[in-house]
Amino acid sequence: MALHFERTEYDARRDRLILEMIERKLDAIVLFAQESMYWLTGYDTFGFCFFQALVLKADGSMVLLTRSADLRQARHTSIIDNIVVWTDRADANPTVDLRNLLNDLDLLGRRIGVEYDTHGLTAFNGRRLDEQLQTFAQIIDASGIVGHLRLFKSPAEIKKVEKAAALADEAFDAALPLIKQGGDEGAILAAMQGAIFAGGGDYPANEFIIGSGPDALLCRYKAGRRKLNKNDQLTLEWAGVYHHYHAAMMRTVLTGKASKRHQELFDAAKDALLAVEAAMTPGNTFGDVFEAHARSMEANGLTKHRLNACGYSLGARFTPSWMDMPMFYQANPEPIAPDMTLFAHMIIMDSETETAMTLGRTYLTTESQPRPLSRHDLDLIVQ
């Protein structure tokens, strides 16, 4: 099997989840998030774009319901022994297959948790699932249970993230020589992704973000490439990825010379990032981290140019996004604790002057101050 962790690691994760199930008096949990399945069993696929479900009972037994295309995928990449295939056919309703499977598992009338809040369960299939299960058992929304367990990284997971962070640095190293007058965004992207693949990394869970000129103010990927001018701005947000574990970075790099406004925004971004670092310690919450960001931006007169979130957790993620929960936003009560991998991004977009500035990197939380996982410094880069 193509497993990325020792069997004891998966056993420990299963035991942690079962303890959570017992606390919530769940006889079983039905998982639809690909991240949950990967974390619990190693199962690695993009087949979650179709209907599939992993059932874990409180006794530790588990069954995967999936399509025939993923049967061998599950056997090869996971510790799952019991795999049931639902058949593709006209008017197929795999939620009926799931109900029948739950019945075979003696779960009729039991208390079952369902992982609703995930891209692995569409609204269409969620409605069909409720139709099948509303009279079958007591259904509890179990969204977020596994996600919260994934927030705390084991030593083996931290090694994956550290490797991902090294790949992110290598991607930036590959990009920097190409960021100059006449530099092509397509060549920059190719160099960055190529460095990650050459280093043994993987595809990211979402596209790298790249934009220059006015597009440097965008926070999402868009189609269409551009070549850089003599005095230009290029915003990059990317992640090193290793065995699906992500370590993200974000920078705005300038060509030619830095304008007065660029320098002002960079100084503010750096101040805010350092304030966020100081707040990213046990005893504080994710909301406290955001407030440190907000206060710093306000002190620099940039409240209207900042975003309403300044980062989030990272880990093993699948399409469509490497963003994980929880996020740094106002009043988020989630406590900061050791062994979290957190991405903090300072994003300042001044639409009035079409000036962009970003600065972000991934951290590992500790018993005290967080440890940056990138070897790159925080200086303004002008090429």
Side-chain angles (χ1 to χ4, degrees):
M1 291 184 290
L3 296 176
H4 301 305
F5 296 95
E6 297 294 331
R7 180 60 186 255
T8 53
E9 177 89 4
Y10 294 110
D11 291 343
R13 296 174 185 179
R14 179 203 60 212
D15 292 346
R16 288 172 63 196
L17 178 52
I18 289 174
L19 287 175
E20 292 291 328
M21 293 168 60
I22 292 172
E23 183 175 335
R24 291 168 172 78
K25 298 180 172 57
L26 297 179
D27 298 296
I29 189 169
V30 184
L31 302 177
F32 289 97
Q34 184 58 42
E35 293 81 11
S36 297
M37 299 185 199
Y38 181 76
W39 178 83
L40 186 62
T41 72
Y43 180 37
D44 190 351
T45 182
F46 62 77
F48 63 92
C49 59
F50 298 97
F51 185 92
Q52 63 176 9
L54 179 65
V55 182
L56 173 69
K57 295 181 65 176
D59 64 7
S61 61
M62 66 179 76
V63 185
L64 175 68
L65 176 67
T66 190
R67 299 169 66 243
S68 59
D70 279 297
L71 172 62
R72 291 165 187 82
Q73 193 90 5
R75 286 175 176 169
H76 186 63
T77 65
S78 81
I79 61 171
I80 305 169
D81 294 321
N82 193 351
I83 304 168
V84 176
V85 172
W86 65 269
T87 303
D88 295 284
R89 60 189 182 278
D91 300 320
N93 185 351
T95 65
V96 174
D97 297 81
L98 178 57
R99 183 201 62 198
N100 292 338
L101 173 60
L102 295 174
N103 187 63
D104 293 341
L105 295 173
D106 194 28
L107 290 170
L108 177 64
R110 302 296 184 90
R111 186 176 166 91
I112 301 174
V114 175
E115 197 175 44
Y116 282 104
D117 188 12
T118 168
H119 295 93
L121 182 64
T122 64
F124 175 75
N125 280 329
R127 290 180 63 182
R128 296 203 295 182
L129 179 69
D130 286 343
E131 290 172 0
Q132 294 299 321
L133 298 186
Q134 61 184 350
T135 60
F136 178 85
Q138 183 182 1
I139 302 303
I140 307 299
D141 188 342
S143 304
I145 293 178
V146 177
H148 192 261
L149 293 175
R150 292 193 302 104
L151 175 58
F152 307 94
K153 306 301 188 292
S154 69
E157 288 181 293
I158 291 171
K159 290 181 180 179
K160 305 287 188 187
V161 177
E162 290 173 335
K163 173 64 174 178
L167 292 174
D169 281 339
E170 291 172 18
F172 198 34
D173 291 341
L176 285 173
L178 304 177
I179 303 175
K180 58 187 178 181
Q181 181 180 1
D184 188 283
E185 290 180 359
I188 294 168
L189 278 179
M192 296 180 77
Q193 191 65 81
I196 291 171
F197 285 148
D202 302 300
Y203 286 107
N206 59 256
E207 300 90 341
F208 288 178
I209 296 164
I210 185 169
S212 59
D215 290 346
L217 279 73
L218 303 181
C219 296
R220 298 285 184 263
Y221 173 85
K222 60 174 282 292
R225 301 280 72 84
R226 178 180 178 274
K227 291 187 178 180
L228 303 178
N229 294 327
K230 180 179 180 180
N231 293 300
D232 216 328
Q233 55 185 356
L234 176 74
T235 294
L236 295 169
E237 185 178 12
W238 73 102
V241 191
Y242 187 67
H243 295 167
H244 293 292
Y245 285 82
H246 292 69
M249 295 179 67
M250 195 170 192
R251 298 296 291 258
T252 298
V253 181
L254 308 179
T255 62
K257 62 180 181 179
S259 69
K260 179 182 177 182
R261 188 56 169 161
H262 275 123
Q263 188 66 57
E264 290 173 349
L265 297 189
F266 174 79
D267 291 342
K270 186 173 181 179
D271 286 348
L273 184 59
L274 294 177
V276 161
E277 285 186 21
M280 201 185 297
T281 58
N284 287 333
T285 67
F286 276 66
D288 293 330
V289 173
F290 175 78
E291 287 305 319
H293 156 266
R295 286 194 303 269
S296 183
M297 291 293 183
E298 183 179 12
N300 284 286
L302 295 171
T303 299
K304 69 177 182 178
H305 300 304
R306 66 162 171 83
L307 301 185
N308 293 323
C310 67
Y312 41 82
S313 176
L314 286 172
R317 287 284 290 176
F318 289 75
T319 305
S321 174
W322 68 52
M323 293 185 286
D324 218 341
M325 292 294 168
M327 301 185 74
F328 298 131
Y329 53 66
Q330 186 176 12
N332 189 337
E334 181 67 41
I336 299 291
D339 300 329
M340 297 176 173
T341 51
L342 306 178
F343 174 49
H345 57 63
M346 306 300 105
I347 300 176
I348 308 172
M349 301 305 185
D350 183 351
S351 296
E352 297 168 3
T353 62
E354 290 195 334
T355 307
M357 187 51 62
T358 66
L359 187 62
R361 60 185 178 182
T362 299
Y363 297 84
L364 174 68
T365 58
T366 70
E367 297 287 350
S368 55
Q369 290 297 312
R371 175 166 65 90
L373 295 180
S374 172
R375 56 176 164 75
H376 282 273
D377 59 34
L378 298 179
D379 293 338
L380 177 61
I381 302 174
V382 184
Q383 309 247 93

Coordinates of all heavy atoms in Angstrom, one line a residue, residues 157-211:
E157 N 3.3 14.5 11.1 CA 2.6 15.5 10.2 C 3.5 16.8 10.1 O 3.6 17.4 9.0 CB 1.2 15.9 10.7 CG 0.2 14.8 10.5 CD -1.2 15.2 11.1 OE1 -1.3 15.4 12.3 OE2 -2.1 15.4 10.2
I158 N 4.1 17.2 11.2 CA 4.9 18.4 11.2 C 6.1 18.2 10.2 O 6.5 19.1 9.5 CB 5.4 18.7 12.6 CG1 4.2 19.2 13.5 CG2 6.5 19.8 12.6 CD1 4.5 19.3 15.0
K159 N 6.6 17.0 10.1 CA 7.7 16.8 9.2 C 7.2 17.0 7.8 O 7.9 17.5 6.9 CB 8.2 15.3 9.4 CG 9.0 15.1 10.6 CD 9.6 13.7 10.7 CE 10.3 13.5 12.0 NZ 10.8 12.1 12.2
K160 N 6.0 16.6 7.5 CA 5.4 16.8 6.1 C 5.3 18.3 5.9 O 5.6 18.7 4.8 CB 4.0 16.1 6.0 CG 3.9 14.7 6.4 CD 4.5 13.8 5.3 CE 4.2 12.3 5.6 NZ 4.9 11.4 4.7
V161 N 4.8 19.0 6.8 CA 4.6 20.5 6.7 C 6.0 21.2 6.5 O 6.1 22.1 5.6 CB 3.9 21.1 7.8 CG1 3.8 22.6 7.7 CG2 2.5 20.5 7.9
E162 N 7.0 20.7 7.2 CA 8.3 21.3 7.1 C 8.9 21.1 5.7 O 9.5 21.9 5.1 CB 9.3 20.8 8.2 CG 8.9 21.3 9.6 CD 9.7 20.6 10.6 OE1 10.2 19.4 10.4 OE2 9.9 21.2 11.7
K163 N 8.6 19.9 5.2 CA 9.0 19.6 3.8 C 8.3 20.5 2.8 O 8.9 21.0 1.8 CB 8.8 18.1 3.5 CG 9.0 17.7 2.0 CD 10.5 17.8 1.6 CE 10.7 17.3 0.2 NZ 12.1 17.5 -0.3
A164 N 7.0 20.6 3.0 CA 6.2 21.5 2.2 C 6.7 22.9 2.2 O 6.8 23.6 1.2 CB 4.7 21.4 2.6
A165 N 7.1 23.4 3.4 CA 7.6 24.8 3.5 C 9.0 24.9 2.8 O 9.2 25.9 2.1 CB 7.8 25.1 5.0
A166 N 9.8 23.9 2.8 CA 11.1 23.9 2.1 C 10.8 24.0 0.6 O 11.4 24.7 -0.2 CB 11.9 22.7 2.4
L167 N 9.7 23.3 0.1 CA 9.4 23.3 -1.3 C 8.8 24.7 -1.7 O 9.0 25.2 -2.8 CB 8.3 22.3 -1.6 CG 8.8 20.8 -1.5 CD1 7.7 19.8 -1.7 CD2 9.9 20.6 -2.6
A168 N 8.1 25.4 -0.8 CA 7.6 26.7 -1.0 C 8.8 27.7 -1.2 O 8.7 28.6 -2.1 CB 6.7 27.2 0.1
D169 N 9.8 27.5 -0.4 CA 11.0 28.4 -0.5 C 11.7 28.1 -1.8 O 12.1 29.1 -2.5 CB 11.9 28.1 0.6 CG 11.5 28.8 1.9 OD1 10.8 29.7 1.9 OD2 12.0 28.3 3.0
E170 N 11.8 26.9 -2.2 CA 12.4 26.6 -3.5 C 11.6 27.1 -4.7 O 12.2 27.6 -5.7 CB 12.6 25.1 -3.6 CG 13.6 24.5 -2.7 CD 13.7 23.0 -2.6 OE1 13.1 22.4 -3.6 OE2 14.2 22.4 -1.7
A171 N 10.3 27.1 -4.6 CA 9.5 27.7 -5.6 C 9.7 29.2 -5.7 O 9.8 29.8 -6.8 CB 8.0 27.4 -5.3
F172 N 9.8 29.9 -4.6 CA 10.1 31.3 -4.6 C 11.5 31.6 -5.2 O 11.7 32.5 -6.0 CB 10.0 31.9 -3.2 CG 9.8 33.4 -3.2 CD1 9.1 34.1 -4.1 CD2 10.3 34.1 -2.1 CE1 9.0 35.4 -4.1 CE2 10.2 35.5 -2.0 CZ 9.5 36.1 -3.0
D173 N 12.5 30.8 -4.8 CA 13.8 30.9 -5.4 C 13.8 30.8 -6.9 O 14.5 31.5 -7.6 CB 14.7 29.8 -4.8 CG 15.1 30.0 -3.3 OD1 14.9 31.2 -2.8 OD2 15.5 29.0 -2.7
A174 N 13.0 29.9 -7.4 CA 12.9 29.7 -8.9 C 12.2 30.9 -9.5 O 12.5 31.2 -10.7 CB 12.1 28.4 -9.2
A175 N 11.3 31.5 -8.8 CA 10.5 32.6 -9.4 C 11.3 33.9 -9.5 O 11.2 34.7 -10.5 CB 9.3 32.9 -8.6
L176 N 12.1 34.2 -8.4 CA 12.7 35.5 -8.3 C 13.6 36.0 -9.5 O 13.5 37.1 -9.9 CB 13.6 35.6 -7.0 CG 12.7 35.7 -5.7 CD1 13.6 35.5 -4.5 CD2 12.0 37.0 -5.7
P177 N 14.4 35.1 -10.1 CA 15.2 35.6 -11.3 C 14.3 36.0 -12.5 O 14.8 36.7 -13.3 CB 16.1 34.4 -11.6 CG 16.1 33.6 -10.4 CD 14.8 33.7 -9.7
L178 N 13.1 35.5 -12.5 CA 12.2 35.8 -13.6 C 11.4 37.0 -13.4 O 10.7 37.5 -14.4 CB 11.3 34.6 -13.9 CG 12.0 33.2 -14.1 CD1 11.0 32.1 -14.3 CD2 13.0 33.3 -15.3
I179 N 11.4 37.6 -12.2 CA 10.6 38.7 -11.9 C 11.4 40.0 -12.3 O 12.2 40.5 -11.5 CB 10.1 38.7 -10.5 CG1 9.3 37.5 -10.1 CG2 9.2 40.0 -10.2 CD1 8.9 37.3 -8.7
K180 N 11.2 40.5 -13.5 CA 11.9 41.6 -14.0 C 11.2 42.2 -15.2 O 10.2 41.6 -15.6 CB 13.3 41.2 -14.4 CG 13.3 40.1 -15.5 CD 14.7 39.5 -15.8 CE 14.7 38.4 -16.8 NZ 16.0 37.8 -17.1
Q181 N 11.6 43.3 -15.7 CA 11.0 43.9 -16.9 C 11.0 42.9 -18.0 O 12.0 42.2 -18.3 CB 11.7 45.1 -17.3 CG 11.1 45.8 -18.5 CD 11.9 47.0 -19.0 OE1 12.9 47.4 -18.4 NE2 11.4 47.7 -20.0
G182 N 9.8 42.6 -18.6 CA 9.7 41.6 -19.6 C 9.4 40.2 -19.1 O 9.1 39.3 -19.9
G183 N 9.5 40.0 -17.8 CA 9.2 38.7 -17.3 C 7.8 38.3 -17.5 O 6.9 39.1 -17.4
D184 N 7.6 37.0 -17.9 CA 6.3 36.5 -18.2 C 5.7 35.7 -17.1 O 6.3 34.8 -16.4 CB 6.5 35.5 -19.4 CG 5.1 35.1 -20.0 OD1 4.5 34.2 -19.4 OD2 4.7 35.6 -21.0
E185 N 4.5 36.1 -16.7 CA 3.8 35.4 -15.6 C 3.7 33.9 -15.8 O 3.8 33.1 -14.9 CB 2.4 35.9 -15.5 CG 2.3 37.3 -14.9 CD 0.9 37.8 -14.8 OE1 -0.1 37.1 -15.1 OE2 0.7 39.0 -14.4
G186 N 3.5 33.5 -17.1 CA 3.4 32.0 -17.4 C 4.7 31.3 -17.0 O 4.7 30.2 -16.5
A187 N 5.9 31.9 -17.4 CA 7.2 31.3 -17.1 C 7.4 31.3 -15.6 O 8.0 30.4 -15.0 CB 8.3 32.1 -17.8
I188 N 6.9 32.3 -14.9 CA 7.1 32.4 -13.4 C 6.3 31.2 -12.8 O 6.8 30.5 -11.9 CB 6.6 33.7 -12.9 CG1 7.6 34.8 -13.4 CG2 6.6 33.7 -11.3 CD1 7.1 36.2 -13.1
L189 N 5.0 31.1 -13.2 CA 4.2 30.0 -12.7 C 4.9 28.6 -13.0 O 4.9 27.7 -12.1 CB 2.8 30.0 -13.3 CG 1.8 31.0 -12.7 CD1 0.5 30.8 -13.5 CD2 1.5 30.6 -11.2
A190 N 5.3 28.4 -14.2 CA 5.9 27.2 -14.6 C 7.2 26.9 -13.7 O 7.4 25.7 -13.3 CB 6.3 27.2 -16.1
A191 N 8.0 27.9 -13.5 CA 9.2 27.7 -12.6 C 8.8 27.3 -11.2 O 9.4 26.4 -10.6 CB 10.0 28.9 -12.7
M192 N 7.8 28.0 -10.7 CA 7.4 27.7 -9.3 C 6.8 26.3 -9.1 O 7.3 25.5 -8.3 CB 6.4 28.7 -8.8 CG 6.9 30.1 -8.8 SD 5.7 31.4 -8.2 CE 5.7 31.1 -6.5
Q193 N 5.9 25.9 -10.0 CA 5.3 24.6 -9.9 C 6.3 23.5 -10.2 O 6.3 22.5 -9.6 CB 4.1 24.5 -10.8 CG 3.2 23.3 -10.5 CD 2.6 23.2 -9.2 OE1 1.5 23.9 -9.0 NE2 3.2 22.5 -8.2
G194 N 7.2 23.8 -11.2 CA 8.2 22.9 -11.6 C 9.1 22.6 -10.4 O 9.6 21.4 -10.2
A195 N 9.5 23.6 -9.7 CA 10.4 23.4 -8.5 C 9.8 22.5 -7.5 O 10.5 21.6 -6.9 CB 10.8 24.7 -7.9
I196 N 8.5 22.6 -7.3 CA 7.8 21.8 -6.3 C 7.7 20.4 -6.8 O 8.0 19.4 -6.0 CB 6.4 22.4 -6.0 CG1 6.6 23.7 -5.2 CG2 5.5 21.4 -5.2 CD1 5.3 24.5 -5.1
F197 N 7.4 20.2 -8.0 CA 7.3 18.8 -8.6 C 8.7 18.2 -8.5 O 8.9 17.0 -8.2 CB 6.8 18.8 -10.0 CG 5.3 19.0 -10.1 CD1 4.7 19.7 -11.2 CD2 4.4 18.6 -9.1 CE1 3.4 19.9 -11.3 CE2 3.1 18.8 -9.2 CZ 2.5 19.4 -10.3
A198 N 9.7 18.9 -9.0 CA 11.1 18.4 -9.0 C 11.5 18.0 -7.6 O 12.4 17.1 -7.4 CB 12.0 19.4 -9.6
G199 N 11.0 18.7 -6.6 CA 11.4 18.4 -5.2 C 10.6 17.3 -4.5 O 10.7 17.1 -3.3
G200 N 9.7 16.6 -5.3 CA 8.9 15.5 -4.8 C 7.6 16.0 -4.3 O 6.9 15.2 -3.6
G201 N 7.2 17.2 -4.6 CA 5.9 17.7 -4.1 C 4.7 17.4 -5.0 O 4.8 16.6 -5.9
D202 N 3.6 17.9 -4.6 CA 2.3 17.6 -5.2 C 1.6 18.8 -5.8 O 2.0 20.0 -5.5 CB 1.4 16.9 -4.2 CG 2.0 15.7 -3.6 OD1 2.3 14.7 -4.4 OD2 2.2 15.6 -2.4
Y203 N 0.5 18.6 -6.5 CA -0.4 19.7 -6.9 C -0.9 20.3 -5.7 O -1.2 19.7 -4.7 CB -1.5 19.1 -7.8 CG -1.2 18.7 -9.2 CD1 -1.2 17.4 -9.5 CD2 -1.0 19.7 -10.2 CE1 -0.9 17.0 -10.8 CE2 -0.7 19.3 -11.5 CZ -0.6 17.9 -11.8 OH -0.4 17.6 -13.1
P204 N -1.1 21.6 -5.7 CA -1.8 22.3 -4.6 C -3.3 22.1 -4.7 O -3.9 21.7 -5.7 CB -1.5 23.8 -4.8 CG -1.4 23.9 -6.3 CD -0.8 22.6 -6.8
A205 N -4.0 22.3 -3.6 CA -5.4 22.1 -3.5 C -6.2 23.2 -4.2 O -7.4 23.1 -4.5 CB -5.9 22.0 -2.1
N206 N -5.5 24.4 -4.5 CA -6.1 25.4 -5.4 C -5.0 26.0 -6.2 O -3.8 25.8 -5.9 CB -6.9 26.4 -4.7 CG -6.1 27.2 -3.7 OD1 -6.3 27.0 -2.5 ND2 -5.3 28.2 -4.1
E207 N -5.3 26.7 -7.3 CA -4.3 27.3 -8.1 C -3.5 28.3 -7.4 O -3.9 29.0 -6.4 CB -5.0 28.1 -9.3 CG -5.9 27.2 -10.2 CD -7.4 27.1 -9.7 OE1 -7.6 27.4 -8.5 OE2 -8.2 26.7 -10.5
F208 N -2.2 28.5 -7.8 CA -1.4 29.5 -7.3 C -2.0 30.9 -7.8 O -2.6 30.9 -8.9 CB 0.0 29.5 -7.9 CG 0.9 28.3 -7.3 CD1 2.1 28.1 -7.8 CD2 0.4 27.5 -6.3 CE1 2.9 27.1 -7.3 CE2 1.2 26.5 -5.8 CZ 2.4 26.3 -6.3
I209 N -1.9 31.9 -7.0 CA -2.4 33.2 -7.3 C -1.3 34.0 -7.9 O -0.2 34.2 -7.2 CB -3.1 33.9 -6.1 CG1 -4.3 33.1 -5.6 CG2 -3.5 35.3 -6.4 CD1 -4.8 33.4 -4.3
I210 N -1.5 34.6 -9.0 CA -0.5 35.4 -9.7 C -1.2 36.6 -10.4 O -2.2 36.4 -11.0 CB 0.4 34.7 -10.6 CG1 1.5 35.5 -11.2 CG2 -0.4 34.0 -11.8 CD1 2.6 34.8 -12.0
G211 N -0.7 37.8 -10.2 CA -1.3 38.9 -10.8 C -0.3 40.1 -10.8 O 0.3 40.4 -9.8

